[in-house]
Amino acid sequence: MERLLLRIDREIIAAGGKRSKSRAAVMERFFRAGDHVTVDELTRAVRKTFPRVGTVTVYRTLKLLARMGYANEVDFGEGARRYESNLDSHHDHLVCTACGTVIEFKDPDIEKLQDLVTRRHGFRPTAHRLEIFGLCRKCADRSAGRRQG
Amino acid sequence: MERLLLRIDREIIAAGGKRSKSRAAVMERFFRAGDHVTVDELTRAVRKTFPRVGTVTVYRTLKLLARMGYANEVDFGEGARRYESNLDSHHDHLVCTACGTVIEFKDPDIEKLQDLVTRRHGFRPTAHRLEIFGLCRKCADRSAGRRQG
DNA sequence: CCAGAAATTGAAATTCACTTTCATGTTATC
DNA sequence: GATAACATGAAAGTGAATTTCAATTTCTGG
Ligand SMILES: [Mn+2]
Ligand SMILES: [Mn+2]
Ligand SMILES: [Zn+2]
Ligand SMILES: [Zn+2]
């Protein structure tokens, strides 16, 4: 983690950038924070320790991390996009429309079938996203309980 | 098609609405148009025959059709959402990032595997979307050709 | 330590898709 | 055709995201 931040910093400098406290604070919080965070959420979190950090810097830092491959933009159709760290391998999402919980999953079989589909259409895939919306276990149980009294 | 429009009109009236020329024009164009159309695109198309139709009416009509189940909102992350008619059964999309072509596909095996995933997590699915981004056959060929001279 | 050059910051302005408002026009009903 | 309800569209309003720009910070190297 400390390692990661150093590595990213070095990469930024190698590309002609300079270090900065605000950006460092944003990055640290981002990689510590639970994933799938909005710019607004992250800004509030960062400001607990660095109250003067502007929203713009959070926008810029997350865009930068995404460009460098350390973060992913995701969009669950809520109106604001979310970011997740891109340190571990690809996964897809179950999104609870009641409580907002996001469950990550990997399914190699689905991925294989996706490859077949694209091949069948002469399509050369570069990225994909699979999102399943519905009720997480907790919310499903709750609504079932309510239904039965 | 004429049938469809009549049916929708009847449904609107049954719900306390009234007929309207603008809305009729939008609906007709929408169901004739190729799918995956933006509000802006559809507005321009409608205005070829009804120049006075406002963007707002297109927004409202598409929202209405979506609420009534005759249209779907889709979002390929371009900044503006798209609409498609919802007359035939569910499908997913291959989206060419070079030319914008959208290929629709159905894969029951993938859907089955999705069901397994959700079951494994005690998740009750209500909707999902699977989008694969990349190059369509044409664009893939073109870029391959360029690479080889 | 001290310029000076270049990158970074954040407040404010801007953009853009989309929604809301509201005065006016249309449609249905009696 | 009078009346009430609905639909329309121009204009104003929202809200997320981006751009602008003057001020600040970081780095270099004398
Ligand atoms: Mn994730
Ligand atoms: Mn489609
Ligand atoms: Zn839930
Ligand atoms: Zn293409």
Side-chain angles (χ1 to χ4, degrees):
Chain A
M1 166 73 192
E2 216 37 48
R3 262 181 145 26
L4 173 65
L5 296 181
L6 281 175
R7 183 177 153 202
I8 295 178
D9 253 13
R10 243 179 274 130
E11 206 170 315
I12 290 177
I13 288 161
K18 295 181 178 175
R19 260 171 270 269
S20 114
K21 314 226 164 178
S22 294
R23 192 170 55 204
V26 173
M27 293 199 300
E28 155 139 23
R29 267 292 186 182
F30 173 64
F31 287 113
R32 273 200 211 298
D35 262 351
H36 317 117
V37 81
T38 65
V39 167
D40 208 59
E41 287 166 2
L42 187 57
T43 303
R44 269 199 288 276
V46 173
R47 281 184 177 159
K48 283 180 187 165
T49 36
F50 292 77
R52 316 197 48 70
V53 170
T55 324
V56 196
T57 297
V58 181
Y59 271 106
R60 283 195 275 235
T61 302
L62 290 177
K63 262 261 139 68
L64 178 64
L65 288 175
R67 242 182 294 134
M68 300 189 351
Y70 292 107
N72 275 330
E73 297 187 353
V74 296
D75 183 352
F76 300 145
E78 306 159 297
R81 49 172 177 257
R82 292 180 177 276
Y83 286 85
E84 61 179 2
S85 60
N86 191 24
L87 304 179
D88 24 55
S89 60
H90 168 78
H91 60 260
D92 290 300
H93 297 110
L94 308 178
V95 182
C96 178
T97 51
C99 70
T101 297
V102 176
I103 302 168
E104 307 190 331
F105 71 91
K106 305 180 191 187
D107 193 318
D109 294 339
I110 292 183
E111 309 268 331
K112 262 174 223 142
L113 288 176
Q114 288 179 16
D115 256 10
L116 284 181
V117 169
T118 57
R119 207 164 296 159
R120 207 174 295 141
H121 287 86
F123 191 93
R124 190 141 56 114
T126 56
H128 72 263
R129 66 177 180 201
L130 168 56
E131 279 135 23
I132 306 179
F133 300 92
L135 298 181
C136 72
R137 195 195 307 267
K138 221 179 257 183
C139 293
D141 285 356
R142 192 171 310 163
S143 78
R146 202 171 280 154
R147 200 170 295 143
Q148 303 182 359
Chain B
M1 166 73 191
E2 216 36 48
R3 260 179 147 29
L4 172 66
L5 295 180
L6 282 174
R7 183 176 152 203
I8 296 178
D9 252 15
R10 245 179 271 128
E11 207 169 314
I12 290 176
I13 287 161
K18 295 182 176 175
R19 260 171 271 269
S20 114
K21 315 226 164 177
S22 295
R23 190 170 55 205
V26 174
M27 293 199 301
E28 154 139 24
R29 268 290 186 182
F30 173 65
F31 287 113
R32 275 201 209 297
D35 262 351
H36 316 118
V37 82
T38 65
V39 167
D40 207 59
E41 288 166 2
L42 187 56
T43 303
R44 270 198 288 275
V46 172
R47 281 184 176 159
K48 283 179 188 168
T49 36
F50 292 78
R52 315 197 49 70
V53 170
T55 323
V56 198
T57 298
V58 181
Y59 271 106
R60 282 195 277 236
T61 303
L62 290 177
K63 262 259 139 67
L64 178 65
L65 288 176
R67 242 182 293 134
M68 299 188 355
Y70 292 107
N72 275 329
E73 298 186 355
V74 296
D75 182 352
F76 299 145
E78 306 159 296
R81 50 173 177 257
R82 293 180 176 276
Y83 285 86
E84 62 179 3
S85 60
N86 190 24
L87 304 177
D88 22 54
S89 60
H90 168 79
H91 61 260
D92 291 299
H93 297 111
L94 307 179
V95 182
C96 178
T97 52
C99 72
T101 298
V102 176
I103 303 168
E104 307 190 330
F105 72 89
K106 305 180 190 188
D107 193 318
D109 293 339
I110 292 183
E111 310 268 331
K112 264 173 221 142
L113 288 176
Q114 288 179 18
D115 256 11
L116 284 183
V117 170
T118 56
R119 208 164 295 157
R120 207 174 296 142
H121 287 84
F123 191 93
R124 191 141 55 113
T126 56
H128 73 262
R129 66 177 180 202
L130 168 56
E131 279 135 22
I132 305 179
F133 300 92
L135 298 181
C136 71
R137 194 194 309 266
K138 220 179 260 184
C139 293
D141 286 354
R142 190 171 313 163
S143 78
R146 201 171 281 156
R147 201 170 296 146
Q148 304 183 355

